[in-house]
Amino acid sequence: MDNQDIKNRFGIIGSSPLLNRAIDVAKQVAPTDISVLIQGESGAGKEVFSHIIHQLSSRKHGPFIAVNCGAIPEGTIDSELFGHEKGSFTGAHEARKGYFEVVDGGTIFLDEVGELPLGTQARLLRVLETGEYIRVGSSKVQKTNVRVVAATNVDVFDAVKKGKFREDLYYRLNTVPLRVPSLRERKEDVNLLFRKFIVDFSDKYRSPGIQLTPDAQELLMNYSWPGNVRQLKNIAEQIAVLEKERVVDASILAKYLPVEQTKSSLPVFVKDGGKEDFSERDLLYKVLFDMKKDMVDLKKLVVELIQKGIDTSTFEKNSPYINQLYDEVSPAPSYLREELMNQPATLTIHNSLPANTGNTEFLPYETQDAEEVEESLSLLDKESDLIKKALKKHKGKRKAAAKELGISERTLYRKIKDLNLD
């Protein structure tokens, strides 16, 4: 049986190379008895390929059953697939056969197999490997001879990596992978499928036929069809029933097509009331980076003092940073400020200097007991301090201060209010 015969028998429409490739795989694997995993988007027609595999196999005279694993509650899925004994759970008033027992000698199609609970996956793996299963509430091992064809619209391998699907079951099911192409991958078949559906529904509802203008055909072909063939069939039925105009152009057709969500790779501002916005986070990062820079500068100064001793060259090279530290810890007297203004490259210190460095330019000092003050590490304190400095630097001009801090003026106003800095 060639591909066209298969298409005619199972109602498949289209001539896409990807579609023909999927039919070739189904045709070649059907006579064997190995498991098949059919992958494809929702609405692409995965169940049709399970029928192809069954009807072209040696089990074609045996039973065939399709089970939607995602539609069965987790608490009853084991009972549905493997059966249960009377009294095994609440409501089990009598023994019941499961699908694997009923379909013995035939084919079972497990649609949405990725939705199976992990416990059920372990039971299914045992059936695939040994043909054995146990009813719920029983201890008797039973045998079955069933071919399993599974399907899923999710990335099962990704589910394996996330621990939501057993790796051994994945490789056992995926003996022969079969991928059904989405409708947007077979654009050349869209108009052909639409005409077929329109004819069917026009006959069903006894309504006049529908014709598409060239621009409508172009729109139909370029639409993304997230629901695939199922969505296209639904649109055709709506037009056949509701549309008064029998010649449909692009403007009319667009009314029946859901608006597509345009995807963008640009960054998007996300507002979350429970978290800081990006401007606040940037400000905190700035605080932390400034703290780190200060620590690095201080470490470099200490290392240089240890290695070279304390002399005028050390102060000349680091005088801006030393002046800043001195002002932050203890504001300098007015006479010292005047001296520093006249000599910006040097610093006169009125505290102790080591006497054993060999340098004669040191000044005398008085020894005082130093009290160690623990620095506050609160981000709010640092944030408040930065804002105060920026406002002081720019003489209260909030726009300039906000630019200096790297935040918006509106955010600065809010922070001034929140931190009581008015």
Side-chain angles (χ1 to χ4, degrees):
M1 183 179 292
D2 60 17
N3 284 8
Q4 191 57 49
D5 293 334
I6 294 175
K7 291 177 183 178
N8 294 337
R9 180 177 177 182
F10 294 96
I12 299 175
I13 298 174
S15 57
S16 165
L18 291 176
L19 179 64
N20 290 333
R21 170 59 182 165
I23 294 174
D24 284 335
V25 173
K27 182 172 62 176
Q28 292 175 30
V29 76
T32 69
D33 216 22
I34 57 181
S35 303
V36 181
L37 180 62
I38 305 174
Q39 300 185 65
E41 296 181 6
S42 179
K46 298 186 291 295
E47 187 170 347
V48 174
F49 283 85
S50 68
H51 285 284
I52 294 175
I53 294 172
H54 175 68
Q55 292 297 330
L56 298 184
S57 71
S58 58
R59 298 173 180 264
K60 61 183 177 181
H61 298 299
F64 173 90
I65 189 170
V67 181
N68 189 333
C69 300
I72 304 175
E74 183 175 345
T76 60
I77 184 68
D78 286 350
S79 172
E80 293 289 327
L81 292 178
F82 310 108
H84 64 259
E85 297 294 341
K86 180 179 179 180
S88 57
F89 54 87
T90 303
H93 301 300
E94 59 183 13
R96 179 185 178 278
K97 294 182 179 180
Y99 296 135
F100 277 97
E101 188 172 353
V102 173
V103 190
D104 189 19
T107 304
I108 185 169
F109 173 56
L110 299 178
D111 197 8
E112 306 303 337
V113 70
E115 302 296 327
L116 286 176
L118 289 174
T120 307
Q121 292 178 29
R123 287 172 171 257
L124 177 59
L125 178 64
R126 184 179 181 186
V127 173
L128 291 172
E129 292 182 340
T130 65
E132 297 178 348
Y133 68 95
I134 301 176
R135 285 184 179 184
V136 176
S138 173
S139 59
K140 180 183 178 181
V141 177
Q142 301 192 53
K143 297 281 290 186
T144 186
N145 180 18
V146 174
R147 181 180 191 176
V148 175
V149 178
T152 179
N153 63 353
V154 299
D155 187 345
V156 182
F157 188 70
D158 184 59
V160 169
K161 292 190 290 185
K162 294 179 179 179
K164 296 181 179 179
F165 199 85
R166 293 179 61 101
E167 185 175 8
D168 46 5
L169 178 59
Y170 168 71
Y171 289 116
R172 188 65 180 81
L173 286 173
N174 200 34
T175 307
V176 176
L178 191 158
R179 182 177 177 274
V180 180
S182 62
L183 193 54
R184 62 179 170 275
E185 294 177 297
R186 35 188 294 229
K187 292 184 177 181
E188 60 269 36
D189 297 337
V190 175
N191 285 311
L192 188 62
L193 282 165
F194 183 81
R195 289 201 298 270
K196 171 64 169 60
F197 294 146
I198 283 293
V199 170
D200 291 344
F201 291 124
S202 296
D203 291 342
K204 179 179 179 180
Y205 300 114
R206 298 179 182 179
S207 59
I210 296 289
Q211 290 185 348
L212 294 181
T213 61
D215 60 342
Q217 294 180 19
E218 186 73 16
L219 176 61
L220 200 70
M221 187 171 62
N222 291 326
Y223 187 70
S224 64
W225 298 111
N228 292 290
V229 178
R230 185 184 293 123
Q231 183 186 10
L232 178 63
K233 186 176 181 179
N234 180 269
I235 296 295
E237 186 171 13
Q238 291 181 45
I239 294 176
V241 173
L242 303 176
E243 188 54 50
K244 297 179 180 179
E245 297 292 336
R246 309 322 288 178
V247 177
V248 177
D249 59 16
S251 61
I252 297 176
L253 179 61
K255 298 176 183 177
Y256 295 91
L257 298 178
V259 178
E260 295 187 270
Q261 298 294 328
T262 304
K263 294 183 179 180
S264 173
S265 59
L266 297 176
V268 179
F269 177 81
V270 179
K271 184 66 176 176
D272 187 345
K275 297 181 180 179
E276 296 175 331
D277 58 33
F278 290 129
S279 58
E280 292 176 338
R281 185 170 60 186
D282 291 341
L283 181 59
L284 292 178
Y285 283 154
K286 181 176 176 63
V287 171
L288 293 175
F289 286 137
D290 287 345
M291 290 173 61
K292 181 178 180 182
K293 182 177 180 301
D294 288 344
M295 289 299 297
V296 171
D297 290 342
L298 184 58
K299 288 178 181 179
K300 289 169 62 178
L301 176 60
V302 171
V303 170
E304 190 169 351
L305 290 173
I306 294 174
Q307 292 178 344
K308 298 181 180 180
I310 304 177
D311 55 24
T312 54
S313 64
T314 303
F315 288 123
E316 288 175 358
K317 184 163 58 175
N318 297 281
S319 60
Y321 183 64
I322 296 175
N323 291 337
Q324 179 185 350
L325 288 176
Y326 190 86
D327 286 340
E328 289 179 357
V329 176
S330 177
S334 57
Y335 71 88
L336 182 57
R337 289 183 181 276
E338 293 176 1
E339 182 179 348
L340 292 177
M341 290 294 294
N342 295 331
Q343 299 180 359
T346 61
L347 173 66
T348 304
I349 295 184
H350 296 266
N351 288 332
S352 61
L353 294 174
N356 58 350
T357 58
N359 196 313
T360 60
E361 298 182 6
F362 299 135
L363 299 177
Y365 67 93
E366 295 180 1
T367 303
Q368 297 179 352
D369 294 334
E371 180 181 355
E372 183 178 353
V373 179
E374 184 177 353
E375 181 183 5
S376 172
L377 298 180
S378 169
L379 289 178
L380 288 177
D381 291 344
K382 291 296 181 182
E383 187 178 7
S384 176
D385 187 48
L386 271 178
I387 293 175
K388 289 179 182 178
K389 288 181 179 179
L391 291 171
K392 181 179 179 181
K393 177 179 178 181
H394 295 281
K395 300 179 180 179
K397 296 180 179 179
R398 297 185 177 183
K399 185 174 182 180
K403 185 176 181 181
E404 175 78 14
L405 292 169
I407 60 177
S408 67
E409 190 174 356
R410 181 179 178 182
T411 301
L412 179 59
Y413 277 112
R414 178 166 56 81
K415 289 187 171 296
I416 290 174
K417 182 178 179 181
D418 293 343
L419 297 172
N420 296 321
L421 300 178
D422 290 329

